[in-house]
Amino acid sequence: GGTTRLHDACVVENGRSVASAGSDGSVHVFRVEVSSSARPAGAPGGAAAAPDGYYRNSRAAGTATVRRVDPRDGGATAVVHFNTAASSTVLFATERGGVRAWDLRCAAEPFRRRLRPELGRICALAGGNDRHWFVAGTDRGYVALWDVRCGMLLRLWAHGGGAPISRLATSFTRLPHDPVGDGPRSYVFAACGDDGASVFDLADGTCRQCFRAVAPRHYFTPF
């Protein structure tokens, strides 16, 4: 058969599994077990540092559960996992803008949604801190906020520069310049383009802070 390219991967929360998204539309969930003929010396439970060569001589062994998307949806482009009180959910996106959920506990599909094609291809996913929402980023700089419980698109906004969203992360925290007395709130951290990152306030979609990597030739050199 042909070669499948890995587009994304994530660790399954509170488990020993890894979920991956492939260019052929497959989503694999591997249960990983590390086995070796030689154990590292030291205290029980691996408290001591492993000797040289231990991990090189180890191998990952386990089983894989596979879910394939409709071929008309194209490859799987992004994947993220999170646990709720009632489910162990793998979210994955497809090249045609589909967003699907997969409950590992019962193989059910809680919801299936789609992003409009003019918004670009989904290339990043991240779950919310309270597991009630998730965000998706596209290669045209859009960030979409969905409610997990009802599968509803709650908010959509665009990065000012239109740069592709390559990675997303969420946090319930305070920023250094937040007003004194304000409590923590939900933020989305987005890696944009080749050298930037932005922090979006989930409440209204505003960009609260930007970071940019500067080329060495632009560094300030004091006299």
Side-chain angles (χ1 to χ4, degrees), residues 8 11 16 27 38 43 64 66 73 78 103 124 142 144 175:
D8 196 12
V11 175
R16 297 180 179 178
V27 177
V66 181
D73 278 342
D103 187 350
Y142 288 93
L175 297 180

Side-chain angles (χ1 to χ4, degrees), residues 13 94 119 154 193:
E13 288 186 348
T94 67
L119 300 176
L154 300 178

Side-chain angles (χ1 to χ4, degrees), residues 55-68:
Y55 291 109
R56 289 196 300 272
N57 297 326
S58 300
R59 64 187 180 87
T63 58
T65 303
V66 181
R67 171 68 61 94
R68 293 189 181 276

Side-chain angles (χ1 to χ4, degrees), residues 92-137:
F92 57 96
T94 67
E95 290 179 343
R96 302 289 197 283
V99 179
R100 298 173 61 175
W102 174 14
D103 187 350
L104 296 179
R105 297 181 184 179
C106 62
E109 190 169 285
F111 65 85
R112 181 187 300 191
R113 294 294 182 268
R114 189 171 297 278
L115 198 63
R116 300 196 308 270
E118 64 268 23
L119 300 176
R121 181 174 68 96
I122 297 174
C123 46
L125 293 169
N129 54 280
D130 60 3
R131 306 306 188 249
H132 292 161
W133 52 271
F134 72 93
V135 286

Side-chain angles (χ1 to χ4, degrees), residues 156-213:
L156 178 71
W157 66 93
H159 180 263
I165 307 295
S166 57
R167 185 63 61 182
L168 292 169
T170 64
S171 181
F172 187 67
T173 186
R174 293 186 73 256
L175 297 180
H177 56 270
D178 283 346
V180 176
D182 282 6
R185 55 200 308 171
S186 295
Y187 289 104
V188 176
F189 296 76
C192 313
D194 296 328
D195 57 2
S198 299
V199 183
F200 295 97
D201 189 335
L202 204 65
D204 53 14
T206 57
C207 183
R208 297 289 302 277
Q209 198 163 358
C210 291
F211 305 90
R212 186 170 299 277

